[in-house]
Amino acid sequence: MRAALKEAEKAQGQTSPNPAVGAVLAIDNRIVAKGHHRGAGREHAEIECLRNFDAPVPARATLYVTLEPCSTVGRTAPCTDAILKAGVRKVVVGAVDVNPRHSGKGIAQLRNAGVKIREGILAGECARLNEAFNKWIVTQRPFVIAKCGMSLDGRLTRPPGEPRWITDISARRHAQGLRARVDAILVGAETVRADNPRLAVPGVQGARQPWRVVLTRSGSLPRRARLFCGRLTARTLVYRRKSLASVLKDLGKKNVTSVLIEGGGDVLGQALDTRLIDKVHIYLGPILAGGSVIAFPGRGAATTTNALRLNRVSYRRTGQTVCVVGYPMPSE
């Protein structure tokens, strides 16, 4: 199953609005074929894996797949049909598909056809691989990641005249990798005016580039901003006088499964106050900046009991920067 997870990870950020899935075929505990889903409309992982084996599947073979095989017709034929046609008699499943159209049905269909099924193997890891898809397919709302690079005193900026960056180059490269795995990057108008960002992923072409989303109250944005110039102009969306919640709802309808909020402070604060954050990526630079922009301003919590607390927290050092990743705990 770990080998299947590695297969699935190869296409992270490329399969939306489909989940990332990996599969491996093993005979006598030796992997003889691998496959992964490469994008919406393309072969599913199980199909690619079986095609790569290119031989009759012996009864002693076992197919390992990170997500329950689909059992309905979509852009491709049901994977359960292909598994049965190939003669696979043993299937090990990581996570059950939370998609109401599929959930449990693929496993039941295979089991009813006489296939030996084991499920729930590395289920947590397999589910986390598709945490954005799992939220969107059930709620039609994108998975929201709040990301910022801030100083130890909670600032997003340094005083006027000081160098711009708070984090080091290795942390910024790490953040670029995060951009490559989401469907959209969202910022406020002040970030566009102050930083003039491209919000693009270097080296990524065409449709794989995330949507660039701007929230503005006045609608007054620089016409020559990088977001409105160049080949990615069509992938820029501007929302005027819309709440963050309504924008996320609309993006969900557009099949945007994940949104990375990159700032500025006002948007991050709004996301915190309205409890719209599903995950945080905070890059802590080794500096006390004293800048004017606070990372998460807003109403704040009236008491520490009401503060947003993180669960499953991890820490990673990237150069001289520490990246803190965590998931907000549900409100009591």
Side-chain angles (χ1 to χ4, degrees):
M1 189 59 73
R2 293 202 182 279
L5 275 166
K6 288 183 179 179
E7 280 295 303
E9 289 167 358
K10 292 178 180 179
Q12 268 197 301
Q14 303 172 36
T15 63
S16 183
N18 287 357
V21 185
V24 299
L25 186 68
I27 299 176
D28 298 329
N29 291 321
R30 182 175 64 89
I31 294 174
V32 295
K34 302 177 181 179
H36 64 274
H37 181 45
R38 298 173 184 271
R42 302 184 67 177
E43 290 180 336
H44 287 190
E46 304 94 314
I47 309 301
E48 182 177 281
C49 179
L50 293 171
R51 178 175 54 78
N52 287 340
F53 184 55
D54 195 26
V57 177
R60 67 184 189 278
T62 302
L63 179 67
Y64 295 79
V65 59
T66 58
L67 186 67
E68 174 186 4
C70 67
S71 57
T72 58
V73 177
R75 295 180 180 177
T76 59
C79 291
T80 50
D81 289 356
I83 291 170
L84 293 173
K85 183 177 180 181
V88 177
R89 307 309 300 163
K90 300 176 184 177
V91 177
V92 178
V93 175
V96 174
D97 195 343
V98 299
N99 185 343
R101 292 183 61 208
H102 303 154
S103 186
K105 297 175 183 176
I107 290 174
Q109 183 179 337
L110 292 174
R111 189 168 277 148
N112 291 338
V115 177
K116 185 179 179 180
I117 300 284
R118 285 188 66 190
E119 57 186 280
I121 307 303
L122 298 183
E125 293 179 48
C126 291
R128 281 193 293 275
L129 182 73
N130 289 303
E131 58 190 7
F133 169 83
N134 289 344
K135 179 190 177 183
W136 173 78
I137 198 65
V138 173
T139 67
Q140 291 300 295
R141 301 289 195 277
F143 187 84
V144 178
I145 304 171
K147 171 257 175 181
C148 66
M150 73 180 189
S151 62
L152 294 177
D153 53 344
R155 311 290 171 151
L156 296 180
T157 60
R158 299 174 71 170
E162 292 291 320
R164 171 187 175 190
W165 299 112
I166 286 176
T167 58
D168 56 28
I169 190 169
S170 62
R172 298 196 292 275
R173 287 173 178 165
H174 186 268
Q176 291 288 349
L178 182 60
R179 281 184 177 181
R181 296 194 297 272
V182 298
D183 291 344
I185 303 170
L186 186 149
V187 297
E190 192 54 39
T191 296
V192 177
R193 298 186 191 104
D195 298 340
N196 193 18
R198 287 190 177 90
L199 302 183
V201 182
V204 180
Q205 301 296 323
R208 292 174 58 194
Q209 286 284 356
W211 288 97
R212 290 99 56 88
V213 182
V214 182
L215 271 58
T216 174
R217 294 187 184 91
S218 67
S220 178
L221 296 167
R223 290 186 177 181
R224 295 189 178 183
R226 291 170 176 171
L227 293 178
F228 308 126
C229 302
R231 60 184 178 83
L232 296 177
T233 302
R235 294 191 66 79
T236 300
L237 300 172
V238 177
Y239 290 88
R240 183 180 180 186
R241 294 179 181 173
K242 298 290 185 181
S243 69
L244 179 58
S246 65
V247 169
L248 293 173
K249 181 178 180 180
D250 187 66
L251 291 174
K253 291 179 180 178
K254 289 179 168 61
N255 289 345
V256 171
T257 67
S258 55
V259 173
L260 179 65
I261 298 179
E262 287 209 0
D266 287 344
V267 179
L268 289 168
Q270 184 182 161
L272 176 61
D273 285 342
T274 52
R275 296 298 193 261
L276 293 172
I277 299 172
D278 296 300
K279 189 177 185 179
V280 297
H281 273 255
I282 297 177
Y283 295 85
L284 287 171
I287 183 176
L288 298 169
S292 60
V293 181
I294 301 173
F296 289 87
R299 298 190 306 270
T303 66
T304 54
T305 303
N306 295 328
L308 190 69
R309 298 179 183 276
L310 300 182
N311 192 12
R312 290 181 282 157
V313 181
S314 64
Y315 305 87
R316 171 175 176 169
R317 180 172 172 177
T318 306
Q320 293 299 307
T321 301
V322 174
C323 179
V324 182
V325 178
Y327 297 80
M329 297 174 63
S331 300
E332 295 182 0

